[in-house]
Amino acid sequence: MPLNINNTRQLLQNFDFRRLFINELGWNNPPHALAPADATAKGGIRFRRTPVAVLSGIHVFEITTPDGTIPDAKARAGIHAAVAILAAENILIFVDAARSKSHWHWVKREAGKSLTRPHLYIKGQPGDLFISKLAAMVVDISELDGRGHLPLTVAANRVKKALDVERVTRHFYDEFKREHTAFLGVIDGIPVKADAEWYASVMLNRMMFVYFIQRKGFLDGDHDYLRNRLNRCKREKGEDKFYSFYRYFLLRLFHEGLGGKTRPPALEALLGRIPYLNGGFFDIHDLEKPDRYGNAIRIPDKAFERIFDLFDHYEWVLDPERTVRKAGDKEEINPDVLGFIFEKYINQKQMGAYYTKEDITEYISKNAVLPFLFDAARSKCKIAFENPNGPTIWDLLKANPDRYIYPAVRHGTALPLPPDIAAGLDDVAKRTNWNKPAPTEYALPTEIWREVIARRKRCEEIRRKLGAGEVRDINELITLNLDIRQFAQDVIENCEGPELLRAFWDAIKKVTVLDLTCGSGAFLFAALNILEPLYEACLVRMGEFLNDEAIKYDAAKLKFTEHGLPLPPHKKFEDFSLLLDSVAAHPSPRYFIFKSIILNNLFGVDIMEEAVEICKLRLFLKLAAQVEPDAAKDNLGIEPLPDIDFNIRAGNTLVGYATRAELEAVASGDWILKGQVKEVLEAAEDAAKLYECFQKSQVEGDQSTAEFKRKLRDKFDYARAKCDRFLAESYELGLSKKPQKFDAWRKSHQPFHWFVEFYGILSK
């Protein structure tokens, strides 16, 4: 049944969702038993749910709130969790009191991972893009079975096709790949093909970053900053000046504007009011230095026109959860797309590089990071884990077992079994229907009754173990496939004493996640997503301890004040007071949290320079998404980005010295070499100490100077060069004394000396 576009558009404009789903999309009326009702979600959030339609167990609800506003992302997630108890698979349509704005909330489930897919429709929009999404959910009567049902798997795939963003991602990737090739073809002045490909990626990455921040208003308040500056450059320099935009404007924007603090009047006139971003991302690139290609590089204006034509077809959204879409039919691009593009663009067979999906990275990361945090906290606050005469953290499992059993495991277990199925529990001869598909209210997709019974028994056994207090080790949560992330969150939020909170905070801020082949950052982002709510929970709990001590504390801003003036540090919780005061000095608590994680916790290496740059770019965009431009504030309210050149590095992780013992073995029996190895180890140790100061100063908001970074880089370069020569000699006698051969060997092997590059981490 083709979708009636005119009818659909009118119903969408009228916010008549029931007629939209039932009359135009072919869905069913909701069950009579499911009436409109008021409810309360976690945190005391009140809402009203009104059934709209249903298809094979997938329910659509309209959600309104008493104050008539659309709740924020965290509140929406809480409401979704409350509704999911009633209807596990659902689409929630949040509507404001004026019925002029609707936020469609759907959660994609993959292997235990829940991914929110938000979609916004505002009254007055043409709605073409939204209607194209709805078209994928149309059901024809000929598809239904004799009972008027559509298989759940088919219905779920329809919703996924309509509301999952991956379709847009693939479309953008196909176009991007074509334009990348065209852009590469017109770069002049870089004769080495690999370097030209690298530089094409560098330029496109920089421009994508600029597209994200210009859409947020950070660049002279102009949402079309690059396009307008290109047109202005052509007017001022003339149509026949084919390289003027790249040479006259773009490089100055990158190196002197976004990457430089000093702004002479002439530069201000050229660039307008833009922030200083730091981060090293806009520094003069190795390929742009005079000893490489420098002034020889040329890129015609037409190349940028083509790229902007592509980029302008999309809406560049830094944070989909916090951004109101503009009217129009542009498809949305967010920072996650960049990782997908890189992973798909490289030659996988040749490079041995493969994209790791979010469900895998999340599963591996949480089951590695969280047990480590619990073990570290246990070593500092043993009583909270092993108190024979009082409460322990394991009491949370005992008090509410179902909270930590995944909904998929619990699905249908609260319902009594049909008599014919129940009869087979004790009599094998009566299990005649056990190999037949079970109804959706009992079964997960594709489950038969025999599988439903097995899952119910396992769920009951897990409930029994938890209720009896038998689970008292963090690794058992992994063995039983329990929600370890929810448990970690609850333990922190319910800390009864500051000792346990301090133990967790110390573990969280010090844990280092080092990805040996980070690519564009899939595993690092999984770790970031695991650590972020734990950081926030710790800070909020610290504020609650301060509140208990009668100090006025604003939990939303993570700041404590009295009559608007900062309070002196509280003696009992001085560390909490000082930390929260430091948080308040940043643009937002979330900015502080993400910046701290990126600097303190995340480290990666990859053999491909392009991968390293994409990874840094995505991390920078994550930070930029936490800030809104404020013309009244210095630097438009954005804190300069941290420099993470020493966190995310390029090199061949299979070639080089991995341990101190390997490096010391180089000098075995040679007193001259022994002295040189000692110097290398001292340089590596000095660099590690210098890096800790460099890191701390950035977390606290004091940006490092270029001189500071130069000293740090010199230390690393000295130790790295010495190790390269030691290693070269082990490959071929005299190689290190033949400059051309040695340089060629370094370029082909890209040695990476773990004990030098990450001395501080590996020493621990």
Side-chain angles (χ1 to χ4, degrees):
M1 178 183 74
L3 186 67
N4 186 314
I5 301 297
N6 291 332
N7 288 353
T8 300
R9 192 189 307 278
Q10 191 60 51
L11 293 171
L12 194 58
Q13 289 273 4
N14 295 340
F15 279 42
D16 191 344
F17 301 120
R18 175 167 288 207
R19 288 176 62 194
L20 172 65
F21 273 85
I22 295 170
N23 295 357
E24 302 305 325
L25 303 185
W27 287 43
N28 299 320
N29 281 299
H32 291 297
L34 206 59
D38 295 319
T40 303
K42 182 181 177 182
I45 302 166
R46 293 187 298 125
F47 67 97
R48 183 172 182 78
R49 64 167 192 266
T50 304
V52 173
V54 65
L55 180 66
S56 304
I58 303 174
H59 291 260
V60 182
F61 293 94
E62 181 178 309
I63 306 293
T64 54
T65 58
D67 64 1
T69 63
I70 293 179
D72 62 21
K74 188 173 183 179
R76 291 197 300 269
I79 292 172
H80 172 265
V83 174
I85 297 172
L86 180 70
E89 298 297 329
N90 59 66
I91 300 170
L92 305 183
I93 306 175
F94 292 87
V95 180
D96 65 353
R99 301 190 72 76
S100 62
K101 183 192 298 183
S102 64
H103 184 110
W104 296 49
H105 183 102
W106 174 71
V107 175
K108 175 183 178 181
R109 304 180 192 279
E110 285 188 352
K113 174 77 172 179
S114 296
L115 305 168
T116 302
R117 298 302 194 226
H119 299 265
L120 189 68
Y121 175 75
I122 298 174
K123 194 166 189 174
Q125 288 182 344
D128 293 346
L129 173 60
F130 211 85
I131 291 170
S132 72
K133 295 175 183 178
L134 294 175
M137 291 195 281
V138 172
V139 178
D140 192 274
I141 193 169
S142 63
E143 299 175 275
L144 305 178
D145 60 20
R147 297 180 299 165
H149 292 165
L150 190 70
L152 177 58
T153 52
V154 176
N157 283 334
R158 294 280 174 87
V159 174
K160 179 180 178 181
K161 183 180 178 182
L163 301 180
D164 194 3
V165 298
E166 193 168 334
R167 177 184 59 83
V168 178
T169 301
R170 291 183 183 278
H171 183 224
F172 178 77
Y173 162 69
D174 290 338
E175 293 184 306
F176 179 85
K177 184 179 178 181
R178 182 178 64 249
E179 293 304 325
H180 186 287
T181 302
F183 190 79
L184 172 63
V186 297
I187 294 177
D188 191 23
I190 306 180
V192 179
K193 183 181 177 183
D195 287 347
E197 291 174 346
W198 182 10
Y199 194 61
S201 296
V202 168
M203 290 300 296
L204 290 171
N205 293 344
R206 286 170 169 174
M207 287 188 287
M208 284 192 288
F209 183 94
V210 171
Y211 255 76
F212 278 115
I213 64 170
Q214 76 176 15
R215 286 293 195 256
K216 205 163 184 181
F218 276 115
L219 302 182
D220 209 32
D222 186 351
H223 290 189
D224 296 303
Y225 181 82
L226 282 183
R227 170 76 75 176
N228 290 337
R229 282 317 198 262
L230 172 60
N231 292 336
R232 174 177 156 182
C233 194
K234 286 164 64 177
R235 287 195 306 270
E236 293 178 355
K237 296 293 179 180
E239 291 282 348
D240 58 337
K241 303 294 184 181
F242 300 114
Y243 307 105
S244 61
F245 181 68
Y246 167 75
R247 182 64 56 190
Y248 171 73
F249 178 81
L250 210 53
L251 289 183
R252 299 197 71 188
L253 169 68
F254 294 155
H255 302 158
E256 301 173 59
L258 299 173
K261 284 184 177 180
T262 306
R263 303 281 175 79
L267 185 63
E268 287 277 6
L270 176 68
L271 303 180
R273 192 178 179 200
I274 64 173
Y276 162 61
L277 294 181
N278 190 31
F281 188 67
F282 294 104
D283 286 350
I284 296 176
H285 194 272
D286 285 346
L287 297 175
E288 295 169 333
K289 291 179 179 177
D291 59 345
R292 292 297 292 275
Y293 301 109
N295 292 330
I297 303 174
R298 293 187 173 190
I299 305 175
D301 291 356
K302 287 290 184 184
F304 296 104
E305 289 179 357
R306 286 192 59 164
I307 292 297
F308 298 163
D309 285 344
L310 166 62
F311 288 178
D312 286 343
H313 284 139
Y314 296 87
E315 192 65 39
W316 295 73
V317 178
L318 263 177
D319 190 346
E321 283 291 326
R322 302 195 304 169
T323 302
V324 176
R325 290 282 303 274
K326 296 186 294 185
D329 58 358
K330 289 184 179 180
E331 294 183 311
E332 181 181 292
I333 295 294
N334 61 61
D336 291 337
V337 174
L338 304 184
F340 178 90
I341 289 171
F342 172 78
E343 303 287 358
K344 290 295 181 184
Y345 184 75
I346 58 178
N347 186 329
Q348 292 183 344
K349 290 182 179 178
Q350 181 184 17
M351 296 304 300
Y354 292 90
Y355 180 67
T356 314
K357 288 192 173 181
E358 287 179 339
D359 56 334
I360 298 172
T361 58
E362 194 261 354
Y363 180 84
I364 292 175
S365 297
K366 74 181 180 185
N367 290 329
V369 174
L370 295 179
F372 175 87
L373 296 178
F374 273 83
D375 290 343
R378 187 175 199 151
S379 68
K380 292 200 169 187
C381 189
K382 198 171 183 179
I383 191 70
F385 293 77
E386 305 173 18
N387 186 358
N389 302 313
T392 67
I393 64 169
W394 313 114
D395 294 341
L396 291 169
L397 301 172
K398 186 177 179 180
N400 191 358
D402 275 13
R403 182 170 176 80
Y404 307 106
I405 301 173
Y406 285 111
V409 179
R410 291 187 283 108
H411 181 68
T413 58
L415 300 173
L417 291 170
D420 60 324
I421 300 299
L425 292 174
D426 302 314
D427 189 344
V428 176
K430 294 182 179 179
R431 297 179 181 178
T432 54
N433 293 327
W434 277 34
N435 290 326
K436 293 182 179 179
T440 56
E441 59 265 32
Y442 289 96
L444 299 173
T446 75
E447 272 190 335
I448 59 174
W449 274 114
R450 188 176 301 277
E451 293 166 331
V452 169
I453 298 300
R455 178 169 53 78
R456 285 170 72 101
K457 286 183 177 179
R458 175 165 175 74
C459 185
E460 289 167 5
E461 174 59 17
I462 293 172
R463 279 195 185 113
R464 186 200 66 75
K465 286 175 73 73
L466 295 177
E470 295 178 14
V471 177
R472 303 185 70 80
D473 186 271
I474 193 63
N475 291 319
E476 287 189 68
L477 274 77
I478 300 173
T479 304
L480 296 173
N481 192 29
L482 297 174
D483 192 343
I484 189 173
R485 293 186 68 177
Q486 185 64 62
F487 181 63
Q489 188 89 5
D490 289 351
V491 168
I492 294 171
E493 290 178 354
N494 291 279
C495 283
E496 293 186 2
E499 296 79 12
L500 180 59
L501 182 58
R502 287 189 178 102
F504 266 106
W505 175 252
D506 188 64
I508 289 166
K509 72 178 183 178
K510 288 183 179 178
V511 62
T512 48
V513 178
L514 176 53
D515 188 344
L516 294 84
T517 53
C518 66
S520 61
F523 274 98
L524 295 181
F525 268 83
L528 182 146
N529 291 332
I530 288 163
L531 290 171
E532 182 266 331
L534 302 184
Y535 261 82
E536 182 180 12
C538 284
L539 295 173
V540 170
R541 190 72 184 109
M542 288 176 191
E544 290 170 350
F545 275 113
L546 291 170
N547 271 338
D548 290 343
E549 295 297 315
I551 292 178
K552 295 180 181 179
Y553 175 75
D554 186 341
K557 296 180 180 178
L558 294 177
K559 187 173 184 179
F560 50 97
T561 61
E562 188 170 38
H563 305 300
L565 299 174
L567 286 171
H570 191 273
K571 290 183 180 179
K572 185 177 179 181
F573 301 115
E574 184 174 1
D575 52 340
F576 294 175
S577 296
L578 293 173
L579 176 61
L580 293 175
D581 211 20
S582 173
V583 173
H586 291 265
S588 71
R590 283 174 62 82
Y591 189 94
F592 169 85
I593 289 170
F594 285 123
K595 182 177 182 180
S596 299
I597 294 172
I598 290 168
L599 279 170
N600 294 333
N601 305 118
L602 304 184
F603 302 84
V605 188
D606 201 273
I607 194 170
M608 295 187 70
E609 291 277 6
E610 294 98 322
V612 169
E613 286 166 355
I614 284 281
C615 184
K616 290 179 187 176
L617 170 59
R618 293 178 66 198
L619 292 171
F620 289 150
L621 288 172
K622 190 72 175 178
L623 280 173
Q626 312 311 317
V627 187
E628 296 295 331
D630 187 342
K633 291 183 178 179
D634 184 46
N635 209 45
L636 295 173
I638 188 169
E639 187 176 302
L641 300 171
D643 193 315
I644 55 175
D645 283 352
F646 302 107
N647 290 57
I648 314 296
R649 308 194 190 191
N652 187 337
T653 58
L654 300 180
V655 178
Y657 298 113
T659 65
R660 185 187 191 104
E662 285 182 8
L663 191 54
E664 289 175 334
V666 170
S668 179
D670 189 324
W671 286 100
I672 296 176
L673 276 180
K674 198 166 187 178
Q676 293 180 3
V677 168
K678 183 181 178 182
E679 289 176 3
V680 169
L681 291 172
E682 288 174 351
E685 188 172 357
D686 288 346
K689 290 177 180 176
L690 198 59
Y691 174 71
E692 285 185 11
C693 298
F694 180 78
Q695 187 183 42
K696 185 179 179 181
S697 69
Q698 293 194 95
V699 172
E700 293 174 352
D702 297 326
Q703 295 304 310
S704 60
T705 63
E707 181 65 15
F708 196 161
K709 184 175 179 181
R710 185 191 62 76
K711 288 180 180 178
L712 186 53
R713 194 180 291 281
D714 286 347
K715 289 282 186 184
F716 278 117
D717 286 347
Y718 171 79
R720 192 180 297 131
K722 282 284 189 182
C723 287
D724 286 353
R725 292 194 178 277
F726 296 155
L727 191 62
E729 285 299 302
S730 71
Y731 273 68
E732 180 185 328
L733 190 64
L735 176 60
S736 67
K737 296 179 176 64
K738 301 172 183 176
Q740 287 187 328
K741 280 192 173 183
F742 178 62
D743 289 343
W745 174 84
R746 289 180 84 182
K747 189 169 184 178
S748 63
H749 286 70
Q750 294 177 256
F752 189 84
H753 309 290
W754 288 95
F755 199 70
V756 170
E757 305 289 354
F758 291 117
Y759 181 94
I761 295 174
L762 296 187
S763 294
K764 298 172 184 176

